[in-house]
Amino acid sequence: MKVIAAIDQGTTSTRCIFVDRKGEIISVGQKEHKQIFPKPGWVEHDPIEIAQNTLEVIARARIQKQIQLNQIVACGITNQRETTVIWNKKTGKPYYNAIVWQDTRVAERADALEKEIGSEYFRKKTGLPITTYFSSLKIQWLLENVPGLRQDAEEGLALFGNMDTFTVWHLTGGKLHITDVTNASRTQLMNLETLDWDEEILQKLNIPKSILPEIRSSSEVYGDISAEPLAGVPLAGILGDQQAALVGQTCFEAGEAKNTYGTGCFMLLNTGTKIVHSKHGLLTTVAYKLGESEVQYALEGSVAVTGSLVQWVRDNLGIIKESRDIEALAASVEDNGGAYFVPAFSGLYAPYWESSARGIIAGLTRFVSKGHIARAVLEATAYQTLDVLQAMEKDAGLPLSTLKVDGGMVVNELLMQFQADMLEVPVIRPKMIETTALGAAYAAGLATGYWATLEDLKANWGEDKRWNPQMDAQKRLEHQKGWKKAIERARNWMD
C-alpha cells in the first residue's frame, strides 16, 4: 500500500501522520515540546528540541505500522505560522530560541510604528495590520537584540524562517532554504499581489533580504529529504497550519469557510482569486497556490487563546486533571452562572487587534462555582468565533449557511452545540478531524500524482456530526450582551 507522510509542526507538539488514498490516517506519532516563558508576554520554543522531535515522531509513526520507505510516495509539511527563528547556515544552530506567534515583546515597537507610518501601510501591501502577531517585528527584534546577529545577517551567514522553513532546512541537510506563499504571507514582508518579498517594507524595517527564504507554491516537488527516517522521499507540499486545514476541509470554492479549534481559533473564508481587503478587523491572506494554478486568497479571523485556555485552567488553576475533563465539569451546571471569561492573555486578536487588553473573569458572585468557570472557559471560544464571523459576513457581504469545524476541541459536544446556538447556523464536524495534517498530505499527493484532481479530495470528505441551533432568541441575545460587556472591561487594561 502506498501512503503519503505529513509532518504537522504545531504550537504545542509535533506530529507525523501517514494517510492513504481515501484520506484516512494509517499511523501517527506525536510528541509535545516545552513552552518557554522567560518574561510576562514572552513565549518561546527551542528549535533544536523541535527538530529532534520531528525525526522522532516520523520514526514512531513508521514503526507503529511497519511502514517501509518504498511505500511512502511523498511528504508534506504544515506548521505553526509566524513563529520566528534565525539560525546559522554553517552550523544549523539558532542564534536564539524561536519567538512564538503569541509573543508580545514587540508591543511597544508596534505601537510606535503605527504612530510613525499609520495603520494602513502594511495592510495595503500585505493584508496584515501592525501588531505583535506576525514575523516582521520579531525578525527586527532578533537583529537588534542578539549580539553578532546583525553582522552575520549582513555577511550572508544567517538564515530566517518560520517553522516550515527551519524544518525543511533540517530535513534536507541544509539544501533547501524555502517557504511557500501561505507562510510567506504571514511574515508581513510579502506583497500579496506580486507574491514576492516587498523591497520597500524590508528597507523600512532594516531587514536584509539575504536572510529570507525563496518563496514557492504550496504544492510542488521541492527536492528529496535526506534525514534518515524519510531518506529519499520527495518533499512536495508546504502549507501554514490554517491554510492546510482549509485544504483538508476541501474548501476550494469562493465562499466556503472552516474554523479550526486548536491552541487558538482560526476561521478562514476562501475568497477565490480576489484579494478582499478587510474593513472589520480581519486579515487578508493567501489561502493556497497549488502548483502552476492561480493563487487563491482568504479572509481570516485569528483568536489567540481557545484550547490553550483549557490548558491554563488545567495547569495554572488545577481545577481539572486532564483537558478532556473540562466538558464534564462544564456540563455539571445549566449555564455560566453569569460569569464570562475573556482570555486576552496576550491582548485581543481579530476583530479588535488590541494589545493593551488583558484577560479577565467578569460577573462573579458567591453563586459561581468551578463548574460555572469551566463553562465560561468553553463559551469564550464560541463568543470569540462569533465576533470573527460577524466581521467576516460584513467584509464578504455573504451570510454563512454552515460552518465546517476541525481541530482538537471539536470532540467537545457541549462547546459545539453552544457554538451553533451562538452563530445561528449548523456546525458540521467531518469524519476526519485532523484536517491540518491532511491538508499537507493533500498538497504533497497532488504534486506527485497520488491524487489526480481536487474532485478526488472532495470525494474523501464526509460528515460525522451536525449541531443545529436550539437556543431561543432572547436567551442568545442575553448571552451575547454579557460577552460584549466583558470584552469592554478587558480592553485598554495596560497603560
Side-chain angles (χ1 to χ4, degrees), residues 20 22 25 43 47 50 63 65 70 90-91 118 123 130 146 150 161 204 223 256 260 278 330-331 364 387 413 450 495:
D20 64 12
K22 292 179 182 176
I25 293 178
V43 190
I50 289 174
I63 290 165
K65 288 295 169 75
N70 62 8
K90 289 187 175 178
T91 66
R123 198 187 285 275
I130 298 174
V146 177
R150 169 71 68 180
K204 176 74 71 178
E256 292 187 323
T260 298
S278 175
L364 291 178
D387 288 343
E413 305 218 352
Y450 186 76
D495 293 331

Side-chain angles (χ1 to χ4, degrees), residues 135-146:
S135 314
S136 57
L137 297 185
K138 295 177 171 66
I139 297 170
Q140 191 184 56
W141 186 93
L142 287 165
L143 288 169
E144 291 173 357
N145 289 276
V146 177

Side-chain angles (χ1 to χ4, degrees), residues 226-447:
S226 57
E228 190 178 339
L230 287 177
V233 173
L235 179 67
I238 304 172
L239 285 158
D241 53 10
Q242 302 314 318
Q243 286 91 339
L246 191 76
V247 171
Q249 286 273 35
T250 67
C251 294
F252 298 126
E253 304 298 325
E256 292 187 323
K258 69 88 201 176
N259 198 28
T260 298
Y261 298 75
T263 303
C265 218
F266 303 88
M267 188 185 293
L268 266 72
L269 174 74
N270 187 332
T271 62
T273 56
K274 184 181 178 186
I275 299 174
V276 177
H277 287 286
S278 175
K279 294 176 182 173
H280 299 93
L282 300 179
L283 310 176
T284 304
T285 195
V286 173
Y288 52 83
K289 185 180 189 303
L290 304 176
E292 296 297 317
S293 65
E294 275 193 275
V295 65
Q296 304 286 305
Y297 295 95
L299 280 171
E300 176 176 333
S302 309
V303 175
V305 179
T306 53
S308 55
L309 178 58
V310 177
Q311 290 176 327
W312 182 85
V313 168
R314 180 194 69 193
D315 299 339
N316 292 41
L317 298 188
I319 65 173
I320 52 172
K321 285 187 178 177
E322 295 186 45
S323 293
R324 65 173 177 264
D325 298 337
I326 193 88
E327 184 173 11
L329 184 56
S332 68
V333 293
E334 287 186 11
D335 54 31
N336 63 15
Y340 292 82
F341 201 136
V342 182
F345 295 152
S346 52
L348 288 166
Y349 282 23
Y352 304 101
W353 294 111
E354 195 169 303
S355 59
S356 63
R358 284 297 176 269
I360 64 163
I361 305 175
L364 291 178
T365 62
R366 287 287 297 272
F367 172 70
V368 172
S369 67
K370 62 183 180 181
H372 296 113
I373 297 294
R375 197 159 188 125
V377 163
L378 293 180
E379 290 180 356
T381 292
Y383 291 131
Q384 290 179 103
T385 299
L386 172 66
D387 288 343
V388 167
L389 177 63
Q390 288 173 338
M392 204 165 267
E393 288 179 338
K394 288 174 189 171
D395 274 332
L398 296 166
L400 200 69
S401 56
T402 58
L403 182 67
K404 289 181 176 180
V405 298
D406 55 71
M409 293 183 83
V410 300
V411 298
N412 191 309
E413 305 218 352
L414 187 150
L415 170 58
M416 291 297 102
Q417 182 58 56
F418 191 76
Q419 187 69 88
D421 289 338
M422 287 300 105
L423 300 184
E424 297 181 75
V425 298
V427 168
I428 303 172
R429 181 175 71 197
K431 288 177 181 174
M432 168 66 160
I433 64 170
E434 300 294 347
T435 53
T436 302
L438 183 62
Y442 280 169
L446 284 169

